[in-house]
Amino acid sequence: MHKGIQPFVTLTHYDIPQELEGKNGAWLSSEAQEDFKYYADICFRFFGDRVKYWSTLNEPNVVAIRGYRTGIYPPCHCSWPFGNCSGGDSEKEPFVVAHNMILSHAAAVGIYRTKYQKKQGGRIGIVMNAMWFEPISDSWEDKLAAERAQSFYMNWFLDPIIRGKYPIEMQEILQSDLPMFSEHDLEMLKNKLDFIGINHYTSFYIKDCIFSPCEPGPGASRTEGFALRTAKKNNIFIGEPTACGWIFVYPQGMEKMVTYIKERYNNIPLFITENVYLIGFCDEENPHFTMENSIHDVKRVEYMNSYLDALATAMR
């Protein structure tokens, strides 16, 4: 630690060695668990005397969705109607990949617990992308849909790690398409984690697609939980739009998000690992942007102030 700054080290942030992709399909193979454990062991051994906070995976839910459902991120796997990739199965691969990432997390935590934690005195957790989902109406159906959206997005990973099983909403809808945990897997998952990190930027409305048919869109399909995600209600955005098409300024989402996690996961220590400090308020590229503009950066200050206020409210 230098000048009060404590490093938080992430073992993997989206990418994975090409050699593993070529050898066995990387996260599509259960062999990834042993590969990840071996890699984590090396990191703990050589850096654990200086690193006191380890994150096994950064945003594994984004990796599973964008890498294996929509094909936007490498290895660019997808199938119709989610995308037009050269290979992949958008209905099945995300769940296989998630399963192997969850068990890879458990394997790394197991190594840390048994070989390093007592001597090194560190803590280990996982970092999730966490969007807040607001029911688009006060109806019972839309409230259930908002909970399904969370279960198919963030709880998808945290429930198995902390509770030892997938969310009930996923079990009911996906049934045999959802991988099963063996007795050995469940034993590994007992190691859980020491903290949850969340990357929270924005919020969306959720509309039920089980009781009322929805137009195609993000979240509306069976494998996404029949919960349509939209930024607008009555043609009004949930919060001020930014130049990043997916970020809307909705500070209430921060308060609600951290409160939800606190209550669902029994007050496990929680860190905000990304938010205003990384991207914050997006701006269009502007060749006429001056130094004075960057110093008097009112929009970004307002964004940071509002989100920090919401976090302080949740903490109180």
Side-chain angles (χ1 to χ4, degrees):
M1 184 169 68
H2 182 64
K3 294 187 182 297
I5 298 172
Q6 186 73 256
F8 272 59
V9 172
T10 301
L11 290 174
T12 182
H13 191 297
Y14 293 169
D15 54 348
I16 195 165
Q18 182 63 39
E19 181 177 345
L20 300 185
E21 182 70 35
K23 182 180 77 170
N24 55 25
W27 294 122
L28 284 168
S29 169
S30 60
E31 291 179 32
Q33 299 167 37
E34 284 300 314
D35 293 329
F36 191 70
K37 183 168 74 171
Y38 176 77
Y39 159 63
D41 193 354
I42 291 172
C43 294
F44 301 148
R45 190 188 323 155
F46 288 100
F47 302 106
D49 59 328
R50 286 152 289 166
V51 176
K52 302 307 173 189
Y53 293 92
W54 295 97
S55 168
T56 55
L57 301 155
N58 176 75
E59 298 188 342
N61 49 345
V62 174
V63 174
I65 291 167
R66 293 198 161 201
Y68 297 87
R69 178 178 287 148
T70 62
I72 297 170
Y73 288 178
C76 304
H77 285 207
C78 69
S79 60
W80 187 256
F82 293 94
N84 184 22
C85 302
S86 58
D89 184 340
S90 296
E91 301 288 338
K92 293 183 179 179
E93 284 192 358
F95 303 109
V96 173
V97 163
H99 199 73
N100 286 323
M101 286 195 284
I102 289 163
L103 293 174
S104 294
H105 161 88
V109 172
I111 282 287
Y112 191 63
R113 293 262 197 263
T114 55
K115 291 179 64 176
Y116 300 101
Q117 191 167 37
K118 185 176 180 180
K119 180 181 178 181
Q120 296 177 353
R123 300 163 79 186
I124 189 165
I126 194 169
V127 172
M128 300 300 301
N129 185 269
M131 294 189 287
W132 179 247
F133 297 127
E134 200 75 70
I136 202 164
S137 79
D138 289 331
S139 74
W140 172 74
E141 293 85 357
D142 287 334
K143 288 177 180 177
L144 285 180
E147 185 61 30
R148 284 199 308 277
Q150 207 59 263
S151 286
F152 274 74
Y153 193 72
M154 182 182 69
N155 304 345
W156 176 11
F157 285 80
L158 292 182
D159 270 28
I161 291 169
I162 297 167
R163 296 176 163 187
K165 57 186 177 182
Y166 285 112
I168 188 64
E169 297 91 344
M170 295 187 79
Q171 295 180 48
E172 289 174 347
I173 291 173
L174 298 175
Q175 297 183 22
S176 61
D177 288 336
L178 197 61
M180 298 282 289
F181 291 112
S182 68
E183 289 298 320
H184 176 260
D185 296 339
L186 293 172
E187 196 61 34
M188 279 206 308
L189 287 168
K190 286 181 179 178
N191 282 314
K192 304 184 190 304
L193 39 65
D194 297 317
F195 66 86
I196 300 167
I198 68 163
N199 299 343
H200 174 74
Y201 296 98
T202 194
S203 303
F204 288 91
Y205 291 119
I206 297 294
K207 180 183 182 300
D208 169 67
C209 299
I210 291 179
F211 297 95
S212 303
C214 293
E215 65 275 16
S221 74
R222 168 180 170 269
T223 52
E224 296 170 289
F226 296 122
L228 179 67
R229 190 166 71 241
T230 175
K232 287 184 176 181
K233 176 181 177 180
N234 299 326
N235 214 33
I236 298 173
F237 285 109
I238 191 169
E240 182 182 354
T242 68
C244 292
W246 57 278
I247 293 183
F248 303 90
V249 183
Y250 188 73
Q252 304 96 307
M254 173 67 88
E255 180 185 350
K256 293 178 180 181
M257 187 78 256
V258 298
T259 302
Y260 177 88
I261 293 172
K262 172 189 180 292
E263 292 175 352
R264 186 176 183 93
Y265 299 114
N266 301 318
N267 206 20
I268 288 174
L270 178 65
F271 292 96
I272 310 301
T273 38
E274 290 181 20
N275 170 249
V276 293
Y277 308 105
L278 180 66
I279 294 180
F281 192 91
C282 287
D283 285 322
E284 297 278 6
E285 286 190 26
N286 183 353
H288 305 295
F289 200 72
T290 66
M291 179 65 76
E292 188 174 341
N293 293 141
S294 66
I295 293 171
H296 300 287
D297 194 353
V298 176
K299 284 290 187 185
R300 188 165 281 103
V301 170
E302 288 176 348
Y303 180 100
M304 293 178 73
N305 185 63
S306 65
Y307 273 73
L308 288 171
D309 273 355
L311 182 58
T313 299
M315 289 168 69
R316 282 195 296 270

